[in-house]
Amino acid sequence: MGEERFGEFVLVRRHGEEGVVELVLDRPKAMNAVSTEMARSVAAACAALGGDEGVRVVVVTSTHERAFCVGADLKERNSFSDADLVRQRPVARGAYTGVLELPVPTIAAVHGFALGGGFELALACDLIVADGTAVVGLPEVSVGVIPGGGGTQLLPRRVGAARAAELIFTARRVEAEEAYRLGLVDQLVPAGEDRSAALALAERIAANSPVGLRAAKRALRLGQGLDLRAGLEVEDAAWRSVAFSEDRAEGVAAFAERRAPRWPSGR
């Protein structure tokens, strides 16, 4: 298992040769509150992973036993002038867009608190696995701002406009069972099993064609918000990008020969 640190607060951990990578939020003394430095590190880690063809799936995890991430570092923000806040804004956005724009499937492993920007980091992932201790929410209006890490756009895409409005306007926290019932998270597991369940899911995903996974994610993301006709054109372009690939030839051959595929693009 290889490890690489990005700044003080972010660790990238590679699992074997299957292309499963953990992006670990590692600021336990602050419950992973996203400071300016931590935001830069998340963005840098995502840039490195996004450019690495050996990465097949990214799992975002936390080293804090009671929190995934509690959102923006409000203690740091309290010291900012207006000019400081303006300068910090693109740095903060870079962390959330970094996760959102990863070209491979992404999974958040959530336990404990995932609030504000912490929940937005999870929402930026394709899938969210949560354990029974999870508490999620977007409480920004309760401190005079709005979700600014993608929450107003990503949450309604998950649960619909009215449900997202209720959750954002009330700023309420949602515990694990209700979060699963409302579709705020995709898989609910017993307490303490979020990371292992997310990694198991990642391994299952990573067994598939790297070329196919990237193209499928591209089609899913680019097609969101388009009308059906335009979305089908996006899908067709993604299909054409893989239809004549070595992975497609290997996948068909492996199926015919009743064996596990050996993906050329994963070598």
Side-chain angles (χ1 to χ4, degrees):
M1 182 184 298
E3 294 187 348
E4 180 181 3
R5 187 163 286 280
F6 288 80
E8 184 179 355
F9 303 130
V10 175
L11 178 68
V12 167
R13 182 180 293 140
R14 297 173 185 270
H15 291 260
E17 298 180 358
E18 299 304 315
V20 174
V21 178
E22 270 186 273
L23 194 162
V24 186
L25 306 178
D26 187 28
R27 195 187 178 201
K29 291 182 180 179
M31 300 181 82
N32 290 328
V34 182
S35 63
T36 304
E37 180 184 349
M38 186 172 176
R40 286 197 182 98
S41 296
V42 170
C46 288
L49 295 175
D52 186 342
E53 292 295 327
V55 176
R56 298 193 195 182
V57 186
V58 173
V59 181
V60 183
T61 66
S62 161
T63 58
H64 196 285
E65 62 182 12
R66 293 189 295 110
F68 174 74
C69 172
V70 295
D73 187 339
L74 296 184
K75 290 183 178 178
E76 180 188 62
R77 292 276 181 92
N78 192 47
S79 70
F80 281 179
S81 66
D82 288 351
D84 291 334
L85 190 59
V86 169
R87 283 191 293 269
Q88 197 248 9
R89 175 60 176 162
V91 178
R93 287 192 70 188
Y96 303 106
T97 57
V99 175
L100 185 65
E101 293 177 359
L102 281 167
V104 297
T106 52
I107 305 168
V110 173
H111 61 265
F113 297 111
L115 302 173
F119 188 37
E120 288 173 305
L121 285 174
L123 288 171
C125 295
D126 299 300
L127 297 166
I128 302 174
V129 175
D131 82 355
T133 71
V135 179
V136 305
L138 296 175
E140 285 86 348
V141 298
S142 69
V143 294
V145 290
I146 69 166
T152 66
Q153 305 306 304
L154 295 171
L155 188 57
R157 284 169 165 78
R158 267 191 165 266
V159 299
R163 178 68 69 190
E166 184 263 324
L167 293 168
I168 291 171
F169 294 163
T170 63
R172 71 183 180 93
R173 299 180 178 190
V174 183
E175 296 187 359
E177 290 284 352
E178 184 184 6
Y180 178 64
R181 189 169 69 250
L182 295 179
L184 299 174
V185 304
D186 303 299
Q187 185 175 337
L188 185 61
V189 299
E193 296 184 14
D194 54 297
R195 178 176 176 270
S196 61
L199 288 171
L201 177 59
E203 289 174 3
R204 182 177 179 182
I205 292 170
N208 296 306
S209 160
V211 166
L213 289 172
R214 287 174 179 248
K217 175 159 181 174
R218 190 164 63 249
L220 284 163
R221 285 292 176 90
L222 293 179
Q224 286 182 356
L226 300 179
D227 63 42
L228 179 59
R229 185 179 295 275
L232 290 174
E233 291 303 315
V234 168
E235 181 182 82
D236 186 65
W239 179 86
R240 290 175 184 278
S241 75
V242 299
F244 310 104
S245 68
E246 291 182 339
D247 273 24
R248 193 275 309 170
E250 168 60 15
V252 172
F255 179 83
E257 296 166 16
R258 298 183 180 181
R259 60 172 174 82
R262 298 182 291 272
W263 303 115
S265 64
R267 292 171 186 166

